Structures are given as structure tokens and as C-alpha cells.
Amino acid sequence: MSGLPELKGLHLLLTYRCDSECDHCFVWSSPRSWATMSLEQVKDIIDQASELEGVDTVYFEGGEPFLYYPLLEAGVDYAHRKGLDVGVVTNGYWASTEEDAMLWLDPLKDKGIVDLSISLDEHHGEGWEENARRAVSAARKAGFPVNVLTVPRVGDSEGGLFFRGRAVDKLAKDAPKRPMEELGGCPEDPPHIRRLHIDPYGNVMFCQGISLGNMNDRPLAQIIDSFVAEKHPIVGPLMNGLEELAKAGGFNPDGKYADACHLCYTIRTEMISRRMYRLLLKPLQAYGEEGMD
């Protein structure tokens, strides 16, 4: 079957730039990362999203989307006027005081935001926790539906910490390891793909670093309609388990890994080193090559 019949949401990586450099970041965001969407690009994605059957929600995330606040505000407003629900993901760095936080939040009120997700955990570094708490408090007082994102420490109970991106480099060494047979399947649950990620380079991703196509080359509807999960060189094997992906990459997983994402990411980085599937394993930003398409 072609297409993505269960697709409900698009997640716009508004920018790869972030004020922080978290050890668990899927896409290696940092203050040095620069790729950011233009307003024209944001509107084009939203226009195309509004014409897709079943898609009802657009998320703005990054990186840190509040770093480009005028663009975020315009994008939220445009999505709302197009009849889409809106989600925003932030670390709340902007809440230096609760009064100041209200200044940031007020222009976003009544713009269809159904989920304001605010990260609140130690992985964001020292000093940000109080800002995040103020952001949560102000958002709740302003009437936003707040979702507090907490990522556990390495070794704590499972849930929320996926070992892909920078987490493989920074955190996996300290995590309990298991053999491939005990890792389970891909948490994105292919072929039941309910969300896609789109980045400033135009990459339409199943998961960060696994592209289905590029909106600079083809319209989003064409990318979706022509997608056949079983035939995708990365998604297809993943549907049948990590062992199949390892075989596809000529990789022998003889060690132990923190989770399924850790092994999947390791296989994919090995594929990149062998120059395999370079049109699909994009962008290189998701593999630690900052500022690279």
C-alpha cells in the first residue's frame, strides 16, 4: 500500500539553532547550528498540510523555535487561520520572570494552540530549570494546554530518553545495555506512521535523519502518495525488526545497546560511512555534522 493513511500531524523543525546544547538532542542542535526556515517556507508547508486528508495538527519545534519569535508567531497564526490545530515545543528559556513570560505568550493566545510542550529536566543544563518552571506557571495561568516534558536521567526508569542523535555520543556509554534480541522494535512503529518531521532543508522525515523525500524537489502530497513503506530501504527493513536493518546495512550487531534507537542509529551512521543511501539518510545535521544538508 502506498501513502500514509494514518498520518495526522506534521512537525516543523523551525530551526536547528538552540540556546542550549543538550546531551539528549535528537538532531545535535546548538548555538552554532544555523539552518532556519523562512516565512515563505513555513507558509508553503502549512498550505500543503491543509490540503492533506487526515492531517489536522502542525507542531513548531527545533532547535528552539522561540529564538525566531516573529517567525514562530506568524507561523502559528497562519496555521490557525488555515484551520489546523497547533503545537509548540520549547525549553522555556525566555521566561526570565513570570511577567516577562506573559509578554512572550500573550501574542500566541487564541491561535489554536492545543499543546504547549515545555521541557523541564536536567539535560538542558544548569540554570534553565527555573526558567522552564516559570514558563509552565505562566502558560497555565494564561490558559494554554501545557504538557511538561521530562526526560529521565540515564539509568532511571524508561520513557522519554531515546538514544539517537547526540545521546549516542554523550549518554549511551553510561546506559545499561542489552543484546539486539531484547531491544524491541522501532518506537515510531512503522508502517503506522502518524507524524512526519520537516526541516529547514526541505527534508520530509519518518524519524530524524531518515528522509522520505524533499519538498524542494516534489510537493508534499507527491512524497506521501508515492511512499511505500515496504520498499523504503530503511523503513522497510525496520518493519521486520532491527536484524533486518542490520542485514541491509551489512552490519554485524555483536555488542549490546541501550535501546532500539541506539542500534538503529549506529547502523545508519555505519551506512553513511560507507556512502550508502545518502539520498535517504538526511540531513547530516541529524548525524552530528552541523550546518550540513
Side-chain angles (χ1 to χ4, degrees):
M1 175 186 287
S2 61
L4 296 170
E6 298 179 52
L7 184 65
K8 296 296 182 183
L10 298 180
H11 291 237
L12 278 62
L13 280 70
L14 198 68
T15 180
Y16 280 120
R17 187 184 296 275
C18 189
D19 58 299
S20 190
E21 194 166 350
C22 298
D23 287 347
H24 68 310
C25 182
F26 295 166
V27 293
W28 295 80
S29 291
S30 78
R32 298 180 302 279
S33 305
W34 59 270
T36 302
M37 290 184 179
S38 66
L39 179 58
E40 179 182 10
Q41 189 177 8
V42 170
K43 287 185 173 180
D44 180 52
I45 295 170
I46 292 171
D47 283 339
Q48 295 190 48
S50 67
E51 297 175 358
L52 295 174
E53 184 177 356
V55 172
D56 55 18
T57 307
V58 170
Y59 270 80
F60 294 88
E61 50 193 57
E64 175 49 60
F66 273 73
L67 288 175
Y68 294 87
Y69 188 80
L71 179 61
L72 171 64
E73 182 185 354
V76 168
D77 179 68
Y78 194 73
H80 179 51
R81 288 191 282 117
K82 283 287 184 175
L84 295 167
D85 289 335
V86 177
V88 179
V89 183
T90 178
N91 64 23
Y93 82 92
W94 35 270
S96 52
T97 69
E98 195 164 305
E99 182 181 18
D100 286 353
M102 290 295 190
L103 291 175
W104 290 81
L105 292 170
D106 189 63
L108 301 177
K109 291 175 67 175
D110 303 318
K111 296 291 179 63
I113 293 180
V114 298
D115 177 15
L116 178 59
S117 289
I118 302 174
S119 298
L120 181 57
D121 56 65
E122 66 179 28
H123 295 290
H124 290 78
E126 296 182 5
W128 294 121
E129 183 176 346
E130 288 306 311
N131 291 58
R133 292 189 187 281
R134 283 190 290 265
V136 169
S137 177
R140 284 175 172 162
K141 289 179 180 178
F144 286 90
V146 176
N147 177 29
V148 178
L149 301 178
T150 57
V151 178
R153 294 188 297 268
V154 176
D156 283 359
S157 59
E158 295 184 2
L161 178 55
F162 298 103
F163 290 89
R164 56 192 185 220
R166 193 182 283 127
V168 171
D169 186 57
K170 298 293 185 180
L171 300 177
K173 61 183 181 295
D174 298 319
K177 308 294 195 305
R178 293 172 289 171
M180 179 177 63
E181 296 77 19
E182 299 177 11
L183 296 176
C186 172
E188 297 291 341
D189 194 27
H192 307 290
I193 300 173
R194 299 172 181 86
R195 62 179 180 176
L196 293 174
H197 310 266
I198 304 175
D199 79 349
Y201 299 115
N203 294 302
V204 180
M205 295 176 282
F206 154 72
C207 177
Q208 292 88 347
I210 303 176
S211 177
L212 307 187
N214 192 293
M215 289 187 66
N216 296 329
D217 301 326
R218 292 187 294 161
L220 183 58
Q222 280 188 20
I223 293 172
I224 292 172
D225 290 344
S226 63
F227 174 71
V228 180
E230 295 83 355
K231 294 183 178 181
H232 190 280
I234 309 299
V235 179
L238 271 177
M239 290 171 55
N240 297 313
L242 291 164
E243 184 177 3
E244 291 302 312
L245 182 63
K247 288 179 181 178
F251 183 82
N252 181 23
D254 56 356
K256 295 183 178 181
Y257 301 87
D259 63 5
C261 293
H262 183 194
L263 177 53
C264 177
Y265 186 85
T266 302
I267 295 169
R268 288 186 276 128
T269 53
E270 179 67 18
M271 287 177 171
I272 289 173
S273 73
R274 299 178 186 178
R275 305 191 67 81
M276 297 175 65
Y277 305 122
R278 278 299 302 118
L279 294 179
L280 300 176
L281 296 175
K282 297 181 69 174
L284 289 180
Q285 168 77 41
Y287 299 94
E289 299 290 338
E290 295 180 350
M292 299 292 291
D293 184 1

